[in-house]
Amino acid sequence: MKEHSTRLALIGLLADGQFHSGEQLGVALGMSRAGIAKQIKIIQQWGLDLYSVQGKGYCLAAPIELLDSQRISELVSCPQLELIPVIDSTNQYLLDQVGQLPSGAVCLAEYQQAGRGRRGRQWQSPFGSNLYLSTYWRLEAGVAAAMGLSLVVGVAIAETLQQFGAPDIRVKWPNDLYCHDQKLAGILVEMTGKAGDAAHLVIGMGLNIAMPTVATNMIDQAWTNLSAACSPLPSRNVLAATLIDRIHQTLTEYEAVGLCGFVERWNKIDNFLNRPVKLLIGERVVEGIARGINEQGALLLETDDGITAYVGGEISLRGC
């Protein structure tokens, strides 16, 4: 963290979206102009869209609202909230502390150096553009009761974003949010625990808010930003606090009623409900019509042979 303090201070100065000369930045940070130029190159590698104009200095392509842990803590009651601006992975950070955390502990980041998605894929995590949030939850009912948890969290996030003025947000089985058939967010649930014991869950979310195209060269599917779905955009801090609160409420509700209490809510906002889809199961491709989910969280796929329930894992769903 200490090695990043100068870079974070530099980003703080540039966050207003105005031009700042290298000399001005150097004076503010006690560095030479050459030192500033070196730091600028590093923060550009973090995915910040930044201009350099001779005679004017440096400027972000757009202002950014940096996350503020104090502001978020004022808006939501949370047993433990940590904001670590630069981190490998918010999920991994919490997984490394399982057993030492209070249930409901949250970790937020501005930039993930090793963010990951489902099935070990890399999650693109440019600085300050999106929302990277993980929460730890102790599920007393055990590992078996955690089936379908990504669906429940997906419903909670989608409904929250709709209430912020993005009515076209939908869920995609088993762990994504979509808008106009483009990926907006992903959810990653990881767990530890022994049979007969409580399940220790870490639920991570990556939500695209205003991700610059320069940071997306490695993304292999259509994606979108909340900025394209919601106008005006909510404050990142208010959004973070609201999502934390809603996720905690939803997990408490899930413990009480299970997945059956969410099936109707899921089907109401299912992006592919009653649409032709294909399931990629290893080398096998199964095509049919998506008919929502059942009370076990399985995808219901209708083919000429009838309706079959498919459980998550190594299955990917694609539109036809």
Side-chain angles (χ1 to χ4, degrees), residues 207-273:
L207 169 65
N208 301 337
I209 296 178
M211 182 158 60
T213 54
V214 69
T216 62
N217 294 333
M218 295 179 64
I219 299 178
D220 61 357
Q221 60 181 294
W223 62 274
T224 190
N225 280 315
L226 187 61
S227 59
C230 182
S231 182
L233 268 176
S235 151
R236 283 176 78 226
N237 286 292
V238 170
L239 181 59
T242 306
L243 286 170
I244 291 167
D245 185 54
R246 185 62 63 86
I247 290 169
H248 286 178
Q249 286 180 22
T250 300
L251 291 171
T252 300
E253 184 181 353
Y254 176 77
E255 288 185 306
V257 303
L259 189 60
C260 61
F262 292 87
V263 172
E264 184 177 344
R265 287 162 66 181
W266 172 279
N267 288 338
K268 185 178 177 182
I269 55 174
D270 185 340
N271 189 72
F272 289 105
L273 183 68

Side-chain angles (χ1 to χ4, degrees), residues 40-305:
I40 289 288
K41 287 182 179 179
I42 293 173
I43 65 174
Q44 283 179 313
Q45 293 171 4
W46 289 358
L48 281 167
D49 197 358
L50 192 147
Y51 299 111
S52 174
V53 178
Q54 191 169 4
K56 296 185 72 174
Y58 304 100
C59 175
L60 289 177
I64 56 174
E65 179 195 357
L66 297 172
L67 294 175
D68 182 335
S69 58
Q70 183 175 342
R71 170 69 173 144
I72 296 170
S73 295
E74 290 170 354
L75 294 170
V76 63
S77 176
C78 186
Q80 180 176 316
L81 188 145
E82 291 185 85
L83 169 59
I84 304 175
V86 179
I87 198 171
D88 284 344
S89 159
T90 54
N91 258 37
Q92 191 60 51
Y93 179 78
L94 294 182
L95 283 169
D96 289 343
Q97 300 180 77
V98 162
Q100 306 166 43
L101 298 168
S103 188
V106 168
C107 178
L108 291 152
E110 293 281 16
Y111 171 62
Q112 294 185 115
Q113 296 173 309
R116 62 180 183 267
R118 184 168 169 251
R119 298 167 69 180
R121 295 188 180 98
Q122 183 178 2
W123 184 269
Q124 296 301 307
S125 308
F127 191 102
S129 304
N130 303 325
L131 193 58
Y132 318 116
L133 184 162
S134 296
T135 188
Y136 163 71
W137 198 262
R138 179 184 170 94
L139 191 65
E140 297 296 340
V143 173
M147 286 291 291
L149 201 63
S150 65
L151 308 180
V152 169
V153 174
V155 168
I157 296 170
E159 291 176 345
T160 301
L161 296 179
Q162 288 180 348
Q163 290 168 5
F164 271 112
D168 297 325
I169 304 298
R170 299 288 182 267
V171 287
K172 171 185 171 284
W173 186 88
N175 65 330
D176 290 336
L177 271 68
Y178 266 41
C179 185
H180 301 304
D181 284 343
Q182 297 175 312
K183 186 168 180 175
L184 176 73
I187 298 159
L188 178 64
V189 178
E190 298 180 282
M191 70 182 80
T192 63
K194 299 176 182 177
D197 196 5
H200 300 278
L201 307 169
V202 174
I203 302 137
M205 179 204 70
L207 169 65
N208 301 337
I209 296 178
M211 182 158 60
T213 54
V214 69
T216 62
N217 294 333
M218 295 179 64
I219 299 178
D220 61 357
Q221 60 181 294
W223 62 274
T224 190
N225 280 315
L226 187 61
S227 59
C230 182
S231 182
L233 268 176
S235 151
R236 283 176 78 226
N237 286 292
V238 170
L239 181 59
T242 306
L243 286 170
I244 291 167
D245 185 54
R246 185 62 63 86
I247 290 169
H248 286 178
Q249 286 180 22
T250 300
L251 291 171
T252 300
E253 184 181 353
Y254 176 77
E255 288 185 306
V257 303
L259 189 60
C260 61
F262 292 87
V263 172
E264 184 177 344
R265 287 162 66 181
W266 172 279
N267 288 338
K268 185 178 177 182
I269 55 174
D270 185 340
N271 189 72
F272 289 105
L273 183 68
N274 300 326
R275 293 175 58 184
V277 299
K278 57 185 176 183
L279 299 184
L280 310 181
I281 311 170
E283 298 297 318
R284 190 160 65 103
V285 178
V286 181
E287 296 190 6
I289 305 296
R291 299 301 189 193
I293 63 170
N294 64 15
E295 293 185 358
Q296 287 72 50
L299 174 75
L300 301 177
L301 187 73
E302 183 176 357
T303 66
D304 293 340
D305 298 323

Side-chain angles (χ1 to χ4, degrees), residues 6-29:
T6 298
R7 294 160 198 161
L8 295 172
L10 177 58
I11 293 169
L13 294 171
L14 293 167
D16 60 7
Q18 303 297 311
F19 274 101
H20 297 264
S21 72
E23 183 178 0
Q24 290 172 329
L25 294 171
V27 170
L29 298 177

